[in-house]
Amino acid sequence: HIQALKERAAIYEDKKEWDEALDEYDKIIKLYPQGVYSYYRKASVLLQSNKLNKSLKILDKLIDRETSYDDVSYYKNYIYVMRGGVYVEKQKEKKAVEEFNKAREIDSLLPFLVHAEGWMYIKFNKLGKALERFNKVIDLSPSAFSYNNRAYVYNKLGDFEQAISDCNKSLTLDSANEYAYVNRGNIYMNMNKIEKAKSDYLKLIEFNPDNPEGYYYLGLLYLNESDYHKSLSNLGIAILKYNEDD
């Protein structure tokens, strides 16, 4: 029963249906209140849906009352990393670094930690440090996600060829990676390769017509071409989709 609830919650997370995911985790917590997993995943959903204070409250409780839970020692470094991620979103770099350092004391080579540090440095525009972290996490555990994020850094640094190469690697590992299509499309725009950019935005829409990003960037592309009718049409769809997400 609990495993079925976990699987259903994971599906809702993948679909970014945050309220439904939270409902499933609350059901698990009611059935097994001493387990850490569902509190941890609930905190993650709250972070992803930008309910930062609620996420932090759960994570603080897990650390401060660790003896009340069965498996908190297993999750402890992950909890510190997620707590650092909350502070990143709250624009509190010093507190984020403190949390990441606590996780580092447990396992300095945890890919989840190194990746989170890379994302922090992107958020605070420290691109050299971000690149260093993503190089490291790719050495430790290459994934579509890590290649795509390194591509984002290369794009910001103006190394467009390397950025495209990393997007291609990301899509080789996961051909349905929506973020990589957005990223590569934006890089092609920076390279003034308009048709290739358009192709990537259209592929994103084909993969997931509910994702507003494809319509948004396609709208900007058409605006750049002074095709105002297509620009307004795509931007209008993007606005509707963004409102649905809210």
Side-chain angles (χ1 to χ4, degrees):
H1 183 203
I2 288 177
Q3 189 58 41
L5 289 170
K6 286 181 179 179
E7 297 295 343
R8 195 160 64 177
I11 292 169
Y12 285 132
E13 280 197 65
D14 285 345
K15 295 175 68 177
K16 296 181 173 58
E17 295 179 4
W18 308 125
D19 290 340
E20 289 79 1
L22 290 171
D23 285 344
E24 298 304 308
Y25 289 127
D26 282 338
K27 291 174 186 175
I28 301 170
I29 289 167
K30 187 175 181 179
L31 291 169
Y32 183 42
Q34 69 271 36
V36 169
Y37 174 84
S38 297
Y39 293 100
Y40 176 80
R41 292 309 317 163
K42 182 177 179 179
S44 176
V45 170
L46 290 167
L47 171 56
Q48 292 177 79
S49 56
N50 206 37
K51 296 175 181 177
L52 304 180
N53 290 331
K54 288 183 178 181
S55 178
L56 193 59
K57 185 176 180 179
I58 292 173
L59 296 169
D60 288 347
K61 182 181 177 183
L62 289 175
I63 292 295
D64 294 341
R65 296 177 56 196
E66 61 180 275
T67 55
S68 302
Y69 305 98
D70 287 347
D71 47 358
V72 72
S73 59
Y74 174 81
Y75 284 98
K76 199 166 187 177
N77 51 352
Y78 292 93
I79 294 167
Y80 283 134
V81 173
M82 191 182 296
R83 201 156 65 167
V86 174
Y87 284 124
V88 169
E89 296 304 316
K90 290 169 77 72
Q91 298 292 309
K92 294 183 178 181
E93 183 179 3
K94 184 178 179 181
K95 282 185 171 290
V97 170
E98 288 174 359
E99 296 301 317
F100 292 148
N101 285 341
K102 291 174 187 176
R104 185 178 296 282
E105 290 175 6
I106 299 172
D107 183 358
S108 63
L109 297 180
L110 180 71
F112 183 54
L113 164 63
V114 182
H115 201 285
E117 289 177 319
W119 183 246
M120 173 183 69
Y121 288 126
I122 285 177
K123 295 284 283 188
F124 294 113
N125 203 35
K126 297 180 178 180
L127 298 179
K129 288 186 175 182
L131 182 59
E132 175 190 317
R133 290 300 192 275
F134 287 127
N135 286 339
K136 185 175 180 179
V137 80
I138 286 169
D139 287 340
L140 290 169
S141 180
S143 67
F145 190 51
S146 54
Y147 276 117
N148 188 51
N149 279 332
R150 191 172 70 173
Y152 180 89
V153 176
Y154 277 129
N155 184 33
K156 288 289 187 181
L157 291 169
D159 191 343
F160 302 134
E161 294 296 337
Q162 187 60 56
I164 291 294
S165 175
D166 272 1
C167 282
N168 291 342
K169 290 174 184 175
S170 178
L171 288 165
T172 297
L173 292 169
D174 180 6
S175 62
N177 186 342
E178 297 173 23
Y179 299 105
Y181 284 114
V182 171
N183 209 6
R184 193 171 66 178
N186 292 344
I187 296 162
Y188 280 135
M189 285 295 291
N190 287 337
M191 299 172 75
N192 204 33
K193 296 184 177 182
I194 306 302
E195 289 306 311
K196 286 189 174 183
K198 186 184 296 183
S199 175
D200 275 340
Y201 299 146
L202 290 171
K203 284 176 185 174
L204 171 58
I205 292 169
E206 179 184 348
F207 273 118
N208 184 2
D210 292 325
N211 189 330
E213 298 287 285
Y215 302 102
Y216 172 73
Y217 286 109
L218 195 57
L220 295 184
L221 183 151
Y222 285 127
L223 179 61
N224 187 60
E225 293 184 325
S226 299
D227 189 334
Y228 300 123
H229 177 73
K230 288 183 179 179
S231 179
L232 287 170
S233 176
N234 280 278
L235 291 173
I237 296 171
I239 290 167
L240 289 173
K241 299 293 183 183
Y242 281 125
N243 287 338
E244 288 174 7
D245 286 344
D246 293 339

